[in-house]
Amino acid sequence: MASKLHPSNSRGRSPVSIFIVLGLCCFFYLLGVWQRSGFGKGDGYAIEMNKQQTECNNIVPSLNFESHHNFVATVDSSGPKAKVFKPCDVKYTDYTPCQEQDRAMTFPRENMIYRERHCPPQEEKLHCLIPAPVGYTSPFPWPKSRDYVYYANVPFKSLTVEKANQNWVQYQGNVFKFPGGGTMFPQGADAYIDELASVIPIADGSVRTALDTGCGVASWGAYMLKKNVVTMSFAPRDNHEAQVQFALERGVPAIIAVLGSIQLPYPSRAFDIAQCSRCLIPWTANDGMYLMEVDRVLRPGGYWILSGPPINWKTYYRTWKRTKEDLKAEQSRIEELAEQLCWEKKYEKGDIAIFRKKLNDKSCKRKSANYCQSSETDDIWYKKMETCITPYPEVKSANQVAGGELKKFPARLFDVPPRVANGNVPGVTSESYEEDNKLWKKHVKEYKRISRLLGTTRYRNIMDMNAGLGGFAAALESSKLWVMNVVPTIAPKTLGAIFERGLIGIYHDWCEGFSTYPRTYDLIHANGAFKLYQDKCEFEDILLEMDRILRPEGLVIFRDEVEVLNKVMKIASGMRWDTKMMDHEDGPLVPEKILVAVKQYWVGGAANNTSNDE
């Protein structure tokens, strides 16, 4: 009986059930339409997530990494208003805050003090954007940039006249041409380097890092790159206009600096080669203090090259307007100092003399030596240069390289640096060094997804503001680019390990201006730099300095905590930068984020002029 009643009840309720189901369907359909109309947050979020997933190439869609060489007007933002930074007056086009001529002339000329760093106090800092000159365009891509520079970018012709017979630089139409000559190698840098290579093992990877003191337009460094040797060149900002600016415009590492009264901003035992090609440095002055500073930064087994006075004085004494006796005495004194430093003369022919620093002090024949007392040889920021010899690290045998032997490049790039292996970098072990390398390979892979142009000639001059162990530069290593590894003075002293990897860098305090001209870097990487400085100086000052040294349409990659990057992004929004925040490559739950910025193209002119106190 029950089986008979069940079908009859089911048939009675069927129309009601169908009506309820249809009603619910209509309700949810209307709800969906309402959400899709723009008011529903759920679907909007889903649509955005789907959009992000389809952008698999991860080229940031709102940022353009290509060069355009034309004026792009500032786009008004509909977001929250931030402080808008106006352009500086066009007279600041080539402003170098810590090496300005007017300020320099107020300091003593003794020991080139007036050519050293003298930064403005806080109340005198500019709070405006340094303009590019009218007609500015992106530099030629490497390697063409080695030989050609647009006149509009560096509009200074004086060197074409002063050095006309030495093949430094020639003016041709709207470009400068660099034939590769120098004062001591007017026939070209290649021939000069070939002569050096007859004594120094330049080509086999034994030599990787070089220092050029008084570099001119850095043609030696430019041509050493053909041998896979990366050179840190420096010259003062003096009456030879824009030497360092020319070098960087060519795509060659360089800074504004001078051997004066303070130590060079490099660690001890950093360079495989140092050279002076008629650099006019008084090597015998102050009891050989400048040679002692070169010795400090020259690694055991490294080479020092001197071409120019007083070498070959018998030929040139009349040209140099000096007596034979004076020049002979100067060369004798240099050789006495070299012996005191444990350098051995390996070669002298024509205009060139080459000395080699011994591997350790076991075979030194010093009569007496005034050793530097400080045990911290890398604590050098604004430290006075002393007339003392930096002692070798201790060794157990006469064949051991003081400080540790380096593998040939490129093997040394990822080999554990001796300073790490010996426990001389606090907090860093061989294992943590290997982990750091893996991490930066992963990070750089993500950066290349963000911009496919990273690793190409589009970004030639790159700066890492907080370099750590140099993992970012090592992961990027390519003949198409070079990286200036900056180790902040308030960060752990890791720069020595960076040099041991075959990379170059510098110590610097980001509360001050960097020793370079405006528009000299294509890409700036800032990993944790702002968190490091958040209680030290104003973010605004650091960002304005970054804008000064960044080329128009240059790229900035920040990696930091999201709270820090939000402050950075607010300031950057008033600086003619286009910005975009991105999640960490491990996902949105990681508090560390990536902020990408592109500096807009704009140039100075009547419409952009403003007072310098804006």
Side-chain angles (χ1 to χ4, degrees):
M1 185 172 180
S3 62
K4 293 179 181 179
L5 290 174
H6 181 72
S8 63
N9 289 342
S10 178
R11 285 192 303 271
R13 289 193 296 270
S14 180
V16 177
S17 300
I18 293 171
F19 179 78
I20 292 172
V21 171
L22 288 173
L24 289 171
C25 289
C26 291
F27 173 78
F28 285 112
Y29 172 77
L30 292 172
L31 179 63
V33 170
W34 176 73
Q35 288 179 321
R36 292 296 294 272
S37 67
F39 299 98
K41 295 181 180 178
D43 275 6
Y45 179 76
I47 291 169
E48 181 61 26
M49 290 300 294
N50 288 337
K51 179 181 177 183
Q52 291 180 10
Q53 290 172 4
T54 58
E55 293 167 354
C56 294
N57 59 10
N58 211 28
I59 303 298
V60 182
S62 61
L63 300 177
N64 193 336
F65 302 108
E66 296 286 356
S67 297
H68 301 287
H69 319 305
N70 58 352
F71 177 77
V72 180
T74 304
V75 180
D76 292 332
S77 172
S78 59
K81 297 295 182 182
K83 178 179 178 180
V84 176
F85 296 92
K86 296 180 180 180
C88 303
D89 191 279
V90 291
K91 68 182 180 181
Y92 293 104
T93 295
D94 297 303
Y95 179 61
T96 53
C98 297
Q99 280 98 0
E100 277 298 284
Q101 182 75 352
D102 291 344
R103 186 180 303 277
M105 298 308 293
T106 65
F107 289 88
R109 298 201 174 197
E110 179 187 2
N111 291 335
M112 298 293 285
I113 291 174
Y114 75 119
R115 293 297 183 197
E116 294 180 323
R117 288 174 55 84
H118 302 291
C119 301
Q122 183 64 34
E123 63 271 16
E124 293 182 23
K125 289 183 178 180
L126 297 183
H127 291 276
C128 50
L129 305 176
I130 301 299
V134 174
Y136 178 87
T137 189
S138 293
F140 291 103
W142 183 266
K144 187 175 181 179
S145 66
R146 186 195 70 182
D147 302 327
Y148 295 95
V149 164
Y150 287 110
Y151 168 77
N153 293 4
V154 193
F156 303 107
K157 295 183 181 178
S158 61
L159 286 178
T160 64
V161 178
E162 291 180 37
K163 306 297 182 181
N165 64 334
Q166 296 170 13
N167 286 331
W168 275 33
V169 57
Q170 301 166 356
Y171 178 63
Q172 298 180 351
N174 67 335
V175 300
F176 290 109
K177 181 180 179 181
F178 298 84
T183 304
M184 298 311 299
F185 41 94
Q187 303 307 312
D190 278 334
Y192 177 77
I193 292 169
D194 286 343
E195 183 172 358
L196 301 181
S198 68
V199 181
I200 304 171
I202 291 175
D204 70 352
S206 299
V207 169
R208 167 62 179 174
T209 57
L211 178 68
D212 191 359
T213 58
C215 64
V217 294
S219 287
W220 186 69
Y223 280 78
M224 286 290 279
L225 286 166
K226 294 169 66 174
K227 306 292 187 182
N228 209 18
V229 175
V230 59
T231 303
M232 177 75 75
S233 300
F234 70 78
R237 180 166 188 176
D238 56 15
N239 57 322
H240 290 156
E241 287 184 308
Q243 296 174 91
V244 167
Q245 193 174 15
F246 273 126
L248 286 154
E249 195 70 14
R250 298 173 71 184
V252 181
I255 63 164
I256 303 171
V258 66
L259 271 170
S261 68
I262 60 175
Q263 292 183 314
L264 294 172
Y266 313 117
S268 59
R269 309 190 310 276
F271 296 97
D272 303 323
I273 297 181
Q275 85 126 11
C276 162
S277 176
R278 205 170 198 276
C279 60
L280 302 181
I281 294 171
W283 295 113
T284 60
N286 301 315
D287 296 322
M289 183 172 69
Y290 298 141
L291 269 184
M292 293 174 184
E293 178 64 0
V294 170
D295 177 72
R296 182 185 69 83
V297 301
L298 191 64
R299 74 170 177 87
Y303 296 85
W304 184 61
I305 304 154
L306 177 61
S307 59
I311 306 302
N312 205 4
W313 54 267
K314 293 179 181 179
T315 302
Y316 294 116
Y317 74 94
R318 288 192 181 90
T319 303
W320 296 335
K321 297 179 180 179
R322 293 175 62 183
T323 66
K324 292 181 178 181
E325 293 74 19
D326 181 31
L327 288 163
K328 181 181 179 181
E330 183 180 349
Q331 180 162 347
S332 296
R333 178 57 179 151
I334 287 174
E335 294 184 1
E336 288 174 7
L337 288 165
E339 184 176 348
Q340 189 178 5
L341 293 169
C342 262
W343 296 2
E344 181 183 1
K345 186 160 74 169
K346 291 291 187 180
Y347 179 87
E348 182 178 347
K349 184 178 179 181
D351 301 337
I352 299 173
I354 301 175
F355 297 80
R356 190 183 188 198
K357 182 176 179 177
K358 291 185 179 293
L359 297 177
N360 55 58
D361 63 359
K362 294 288 186 183
S363 59
C364 290
K365 298 178 181 178
R366 291 172 173 159
K367 297 177 182 178
S368 63
N370 176 29
Y371 290 108
C372 301
Q373 298 302 309
S374 174
S375 59
E376 181 49 79
T377 56
D378 287 0
D379 184 18
I380 47 78
W381 188 245
Y382 285 131
K383 292 295 176 64
K384 287 291 183 182
M385 208 180 292
E386 297 181 57
T387 307
C388 60
I389 298 173
T390 303
Y392 281 94
E394 293 184 2
V395 295
K396 295 180 179 179
S397 70
N399 296 324
Q400 187 178 352
V401 180
E405 188 171 2
L406 301 176
K407 290 186 177 180
K408 294 181 179 181
F409 196 84
R412 72 190 259 195
L413 183 62
F414 289 103
D415 190 49
V416 178
R419 294 181 206 226
V420 172
N422 296 335
N424 295 329
V425 183
V428 181
T429 64
S430 297
E431 292 74 21
S432 64
Y433 168 79
E434 299 285 2
E435 287 301 315
D436 187 74
N437 283 334
K438 292 178 183 177
L439 182 64
W440 279 108
K441 287 177 181 178
K442 175 182 174 181
H443 287 341
V444 168
K445 182 178 180 181
E446 176 68 8
Y447 295 159
K448 288 183 177 180
R449 288 209 307 151
I450 292 172
S451 172
R452 290 196 189 118
L453 297 173
L454 183 59
T456 71
T457 56
R458 172 66 181 85
Y459 301 116
R460 170 69 183 171
N461 300 357
I462 297 177
M463 173 181 285
D464 193 354
M465 291 178 63
N466 186 20
L469 293 168
F472 169 73
L476 265 181
E477 172 60 27
S478 167
S479 60
K480 297 175 183 177
L481 56 87
W482 61 271
V483 179
M484 178 70 79
N485 291 281
V486 180
V487 173
T489 55
I490 59 174
K493 302 292 189 293
T494 55
L495 192 54
I498 289 173
F499 272 94
E500 287 179 341
R501 302 185 72 166
L503 304 169
I504 58 170
I506 189 173
Y507 286 116
H508 180 66
D509 180 359
W510 283 112
C511 294
E512 301 180 355
F514 194 76
S515 294
T516 191
Y517 284 83
R519 303 171 301 280
T520 47
Y521 286 88
D522 303 297
L523 187 153
I524 300 175
H525 178 241
N527 170 53
F530 283 83
K531 181 182 178 182
L532 183 68
Y533 276 96
Q534 61 183 346
D535 298 322
K536 302 297 180 182
C537 49
E538 298 297 326
F539 282 10
E540 177 180 307
D541 291 336
I542 300 175
L543 284 163
L544 286 172
E545 177 63 3
M546 292 170 69
D547 181 81
R548 183 185 75 87
I549 67 178
L550 185 66
R551 285 177 175 153
E553 300 180 321
L555 175 66
V556 183
I557 301 175
F558 301 87
R559 181 180 287 269
D560 223 313
E561 293 179 355
V562 65
E563 294 83 3
V564 173
L565 290 184
N566 280 332
K567 296 177 184 178
V568 169
M569 188 161 60
K570 183 176 180 180
I571 299 170
S573 66
M575 293 173 51
R576 304 192 183 195
W577 287 12
D578 297 319
T579 61
K580 185 177 181 67
M581 188 86 80
M582 305 183 70
D583 284 328
H584 190 281
E585 54 262 35
D586 289 339
L589 299 181
V590 180
E592 183 179 88
K593 304 294 179 185
I594 301 170
L595 177 63
V596 183
V598 173
K599 179 179 175 179
Q600 297 176 9
Y601 177 95
W602 62 277
V603 299
N608 278 325
N609 284 353
T610 186
S611 63
N612 66 353
D613 58 357
E614 291 292 341

